[in-house]
Structures are given as structure tokens and as C-alpha cells.
Amino acid sequence: SWKTPEEWYQTNTLSTVWLSKLLASKDFLENYVHVSTPEVLGSSDSWIKEDSNLNPSTPYAASRGAAETHLRLMFKEFDLPVTFTRAANVFGTGQRLYRLIPRAFLSAYLRKEFLLDGGGTSHRAFINIPDAVEATLLVAKKGRPGHSYHISPRQSLSIKQMVEKIFEITGMNFEDS
């Protein structure tokens, strides 16, 4: 997102502004669930509360945060019934191969070297897509407009630990890769 921030703002912010303008004119709308990202809250060494201030650290995260900010204005000014979700690192079938988990599996199966950016020390929480979908549906049915909901397990692990687990599953020696 650093290379082409304007594309991220077009997709994540302006498109949300256009959509929210249309949705605000519909009287049948009961709840619009805006699927966002925890990245709008920035980095932390501990659990971040849903009502924490936005603190993005990349153009991608800033564009998503700008969309959230606009939707909160629409909620306050026009009673747009918007609820926010922020899912952890979602993984599952059909995920693009550049993402960590499929890339690690592919590397292990092909017996290719796996590069750990930054040594793999940063921690992440991971959630499987069926669990993320179930939680999103629950928010759609029972979430309160104007509120944000984390969709994430509380436990996290380092990127290195995740890759080690994947290599263990595939029978590949992590230290050799």
C-alpha cells in the first residue's frame, strides 16, 4: 500500500463513502456489517479493546480507518445502522498463495527455503474462515449498530511458531529450511 496508496483509498475509502450514501437512503436496512481489519488499531503487545482509538501504521490501514470514521459519522448524523467487525488473520481454503499459511505449506511441500521476514518474531492471532463467517453472522444478527467487534482468538503465536507448526505437520525440518 506504500507504493500506490491512492488505489487503497479509492477501494477502501471512496467506495465506502459512495456505498454508505446509497445505504443511508434505504429505509429497509436493519444492519450493515462493515468488515474492517484490526490493522486500523495499529500494533500492540497486548489485547486491544474494541473502542480503542484508531492508530493505523500503513496507507492500507489508514484507508480502512478513514472508511470506519466516515461510517461512524453516517451512524451519528443519519442513523445508518452500521456495525463493525475486525477479524484476526483469517485463513482457509482458497486463500491466495502469497499469504503466510498457504505460502508456508507450499514451501514445505516443495522443499523450498522459507524466508522469515524480520525473523518471524511478530505475533498474530489466526482464525479459520468458517469461524470468522459464523462470528460475522452473529454480529449481523445481534450486533449493536455503532459498535465494533473483534473476531479473534485471544491466543496468538509468532510468525516463526506458525511456520514451525506447518513444517511439523508436513514432516519438513524447519531448521533445514
Side-chain angles (χ1 to χ4, degrees):
S1 66
W2 289 105
K3 290 180 182 176
T4 57
E6 65 280 0
E7 292 177 11
W8 294 95
Y9 279 91
Q10 177 74 36
T11 300
N12 295 325
T13 308
L14 290 176
S15 295
T16 299
V17 169
W18 293 324
L19 176 63
S20 68
K21 185 176 177 182
L22 175 70
L23 292 176
S25 70
K26 307 299 178 193
D27 56 2
F28 61 82
L29 188 65
E30 292 180 30
N31 190 7
Y32 163 56
V33 177
H34 181 74
V35 177
S36 189
T37 174
E39 290 188 50
V40 300
L41 300 174
S43 297
S44 174
D45 292 333
S46 61
W47 189 259
I48 299 176
K49 295 181 180 178
E50 279 93 346
D51 61 354
S52 296
N53 290 329
L54 302 184
N55 188 26
S57 61
T58 65
Y60 165 75
S63 70
R64 298 301 300 262
E68 280 196 35
T69 300
H70 176 76
L71 288 169
R72 289 190 187 287
L73 287 171
M74 296 296 287
F75 170 72
K76 289 177 185 173
E77 293 299 319
F78 301 105
D79 295 319
L80 178 69
V82 59
T83 307
F84 303 88
T85 65
R86 298 180 185 132
N89 292 279
V90 179
F91 69 94
T93 304
Q95 188 171 30
R96 293 181 179 174
L97 295 178
Y98 74 88
R99 304 294 301 193
L100 175 69
I101 292 174
R103 189 167 43 96
F105 270 108
L106 188 60
S107 176
Y109 283 126
L110 295 175
R111 307 291 192 229
K112 300 266 184 174
E113 187 176 277
F114 190 87
L115 176 65
L116 282 175
D117 293 330
T121 59
S122 63
H123 279 70
R124 301 281 186 272
F126 294 89
I127 186 168
N128 197 309
I129 190 66
D131 295 332
V133 168
E134 184 178 340
T136 302
L137 286 172
L138 185 63
V139 169
K141 292 175 183 176
K142 297 187 177 189
R144 291 184 13 217
H147 286 77
S148 299
Y149 298 89
H150 286 319
I151 299 176
S152 174
R154 280 208 175 263
Q155 69 276 11
S156 66
L157 65 161
S158 73
I159 299 299
K160 181 179 179 182
Q161 290 170 317
M162 175 58 87
V163 174
E164 286 173 333
K165 284 181 181 281
I166 291 168
F167 277 51
E168 181 182 317
I169 289 167
T170 60
M172 181 73 164
N173 185 330
F174 176 79
E175 297 304 322
D176 292 342
S177 300

